[in-house]
Amino acid sequence: MTDKKGGRRAFLGISAFLAAVVIAAIAVPLALNRGTVSGHAIAVSQPGPWQLGADRVPPYDIGIDSWVVGDDLVLVNDTYAVAYARSDGKERWRIPSPAGHFCGASTSVVDNHIAVGYGDLCSSAAVLDVNAGKLLWQRTMPITSSGSSSQAKLDEHAVLEIVGGSVVVVHYQQLLGLDAATGAVRWSEVTPPTDEKVYSNCIPSDGLPRSADFVLLSHCSAKDAGDSLYVAVAVDPATGKTKQHNEFVKSKSYLTMAWVSASPLVAYVSDASKGMYATLDDSLEPVSTIDAGDALNGFMGDDGFGYSLSGASNGTSHRRSRALVTGTTMIALTSPQKPNRLAAFDLRTGAKRWEVPAPGGGIVAAPLAVDNGQVIAVVSAGQDGPEQHIVKFSLDTGAVTPVRTVSLTGPGNRSLAPWFCRLFWADGVVYGVRAIYTAQSTALVFRLG
């Protein structure tokens, strides 16, 4: 009898557990799909959405960069660096700029480390341990200022990257290599290329780590003509010496350059009226080009961090594009801030694979990631309401699968305007950081889902 009762209790316990699982399986999609969007839900872990406004986030002017690192959302702005717990938004640590303002940060986190620039004319550098929340070393960099009042603004920011044991720093017409562990100066070079038979007056614009080297974009004058040359340069991070270089565009008009991706190499160049994406192979030879249209109605857009792709500088570092590169495909927006369309391009040929509108005539804030063959994006209704739709687009066809709707409001029920934010997709959840802190700001740091 005892065994039979025990078996019955075990059976009832298992039955109750299975019933709970079935109920949860039904209830979770229903809860996630409340609102105007219906479809298949993405399972997310608890807890749910949160947002930090001006009452929780200390003032800053301009966001420099942000990252999802382990359990934290890390932000470096012009005033301080800070980490927020992804689970509930609680502040884990905050570090003010040691002097002046922060003025640059590396695009990638390497072994929990980020390189940052700070100080007057961005003349100092440090490495930040984002796990411990402390600066490992700080040093004044041996930088020679341009000395020209017209170029003073160019000296107020730097591009910094950790690659090959070095912190490579691009500061106007100078390239520096600092030891990533100690900050000691390893080398200093005039920014390449320096082939005086071909180029003159080369000014670097952007840089990214690529495998074991550092790739640089420079704007040079041609010796034999009045053309401007746009040159890609591979630099050895251990010595600063040029490994290879190649001009991929000749033009008198392009003003803005930015790396969109390091693998494969994709560059964006533009002037006030038109833009272009160029794909380069491992030897820096051009493979294909994509017409990006004009700055307001073309396939472009930046998220407010770093330089603006429209050519205006906000005094920070690397230009952050909204375009997403995955394999041989680039996903881009037809316009950053009005009812727009999402499009996919083949980087091998430059051909457009598909173009689709945002569901409901909304604004696609940015393509965030590719998850199981689906492009994850946040779609907003615009200024009319607080609802943000997390949507999946098929990578192959662009077909839309709405996922869920999340409401995120600020004072006076104002909407979030996520196209002014850097957005992340991590573990089935969207996180965001607002690039510019203004009196009209609603949520500044948030989690959707």
Side-chain angles (χ1 to χ4, degrees), residues 397-430:
T397 65
V400 173
T401 303
V403 179
R404 63 182 179 269
T405 300
V406 180
S407 180
L408 195 61
T409 60
N413 204 36
R414 288 178 297 182
S415 58
L416 173 64
W419 52 91
F420 292 128
C421 303
R422 182 129 196 257
L423 301 171
F424 301 90
W425 175 255
D427 301 324
V429 176
V430 173

Side-chain angles (χ1 to χ4, degrees), residues 40-41 104 117 136 141 159 179-180 198 203 211 238 240-241 267 270 305 312 318 334 360-361 368 384 393 404 432 434:
H40 300 290
L136 300 183
M141 296 184 288
V159 174
D179 188 280
V198 181
I203 299 174
S211 186
K241 302 301 182 183
S270 74
F305 285 86
H318 170 73
T334 56
L368 309 186
D384 298 331
F393 296 81
R404 63 182 179 269
R434 191 177 177 91

Side-chain angles (χ1 to χ4, degrees), residues 210 244 246 264-265 279-288:
R210 182 188 66 158
Q244 56 187 156
N246 184 56
L265 277 174
T279 302
L280 312 179
D281 63 17
D282 290 341
S283 61
L284 309 182
E285 292 288 339
V287 174
S288 67

Side-chain angles (χ1 to χ4, degrees), residues 70-334:
D71 295 331
D72 295 330
L73 182 59
V74 178
L75 164 68
V76 173
N77 56 51
D78 58 335
T79 307
Y80 56 86
V82 62
Y84 299 99
R86 287 169 52 192
S87 59
D88 55 14
K90 288 183 179 178
E91 183 178 306
R92 269 216 325 116
W93 52 259
R94 182 172 6 128
I95 300 173
S97 175
H101 293 282
F102 283 121
C103 48
S106 50
T107 56
S108 302
V109 181
V110 179
D111 296 328
N112 285 321
H113 294 163
I114 295 169
V116 293
Y118 66 91
D120 295 335
L121 296 182
C122 207
S123 58
S124 298
V127 161
L128 168 63
D129 185 326
V130 297
N131 187 43
K134 65 179 182 179
L135 298 175
L136 300 183
W137 53 258
Q138 305 169 52
R139 71 155 298 123
T140 300
M141 296 184 288
I143 289 173
T144 303
S145 175
S146 65
S148 167
S149 58
S150 64
Q151 295 170 339
K153 282 287 182 184
L154 296 174
D155 290 330
E156 289 183 354
H157 49 74
V159 174
L160 306 96
E161 294 292 352
I162 300 176
V163 54
S166 294
V167 175
V168 181
V169 183
V170 182
H171 193 283
Y172 190 50
Q173 289 183 309
Q174 193 169 358
L175 201 64
L176 293 173
L178 308 177
D179 188 280
T182 66
V185 178
R186 303 178 79 178
W187 49 264
S188 177
E189 294 283 342
V190 174
T191 46
T194 54
D195 187 345
E196 295 183 355
K197 295 180 180 179
V198 181
Y199 310 112
S200 66
N201 193 33
C202 290
I203 299 174
S205 178
D206 199 6
L208 278 180
R210 182 188 66 158
S211 186
D213 59 17
F214 178 79
V215 285
L216 183 70
L217 282 177
S218 288
H219 172 215
C220 305
S221 297
K223 276 287 189 179
D224 59 353
D227 290 330
S228 292
L229 300 177
Y230 297 86
V231 185
V233 188
V235 176
D236 185 342
T239 64
K241 302 301 182 183
T242 299
K243 297 168 67 175
Q244 56 187 156
H245 62 84
N246 184 56
E247 62 268 16
F248 62 95
V249 177
K250 270 188 180 181
S251 171
K252 294 182 180 180
S253 60
Y254 288 129
L255 301 174
T256 299
M257 291 183 293
W259 286 122
V260 176
S261 167
S263 180
L265 277 174
V266 181
Y268 174 83
V269 294
S270 74
D271 59 16
S273 62
K274 62 183 180 300
M276 179 188 74
Y277 291 98
T279 302
L280 312 179
D281 63 17
D282 290 341
S283 61
L284 309 182
E285 292 288 339
V287 174
S288 67
T289 59
I290 297 169
D291 183 359
D294 64 70
L296 295 178
N297 300 296
F299 290 94
M300 56 81 65
D302 59 88
D303 60 13
F305 285 86
Y307 282 113
S308 165
L309 289 178
S310 62
S313 170
N314 62 18
T316 59
S317 57
H318 170 73
R319 299 167 171 91
R320 282 292 192 181
S321 171
R322 292 185 187 274
L324 172 66
V325 173
T326 174
T328 59
T329 302
M330 183 180 75
I331 311 295
L333 305 177
T334 56

Side-chain angles (χ1 to χ4, degrees), residues 387-404:
E387 291 182 342
Q388 314 299 327
H389 309 306
I390 301 173
V391 180
K392 295 188 295 186
F393 296 81
S394 168
L395 179 62
D396 293 331
T397 65
V400 173
T401 303
V403 179
R404 63 182 179 269

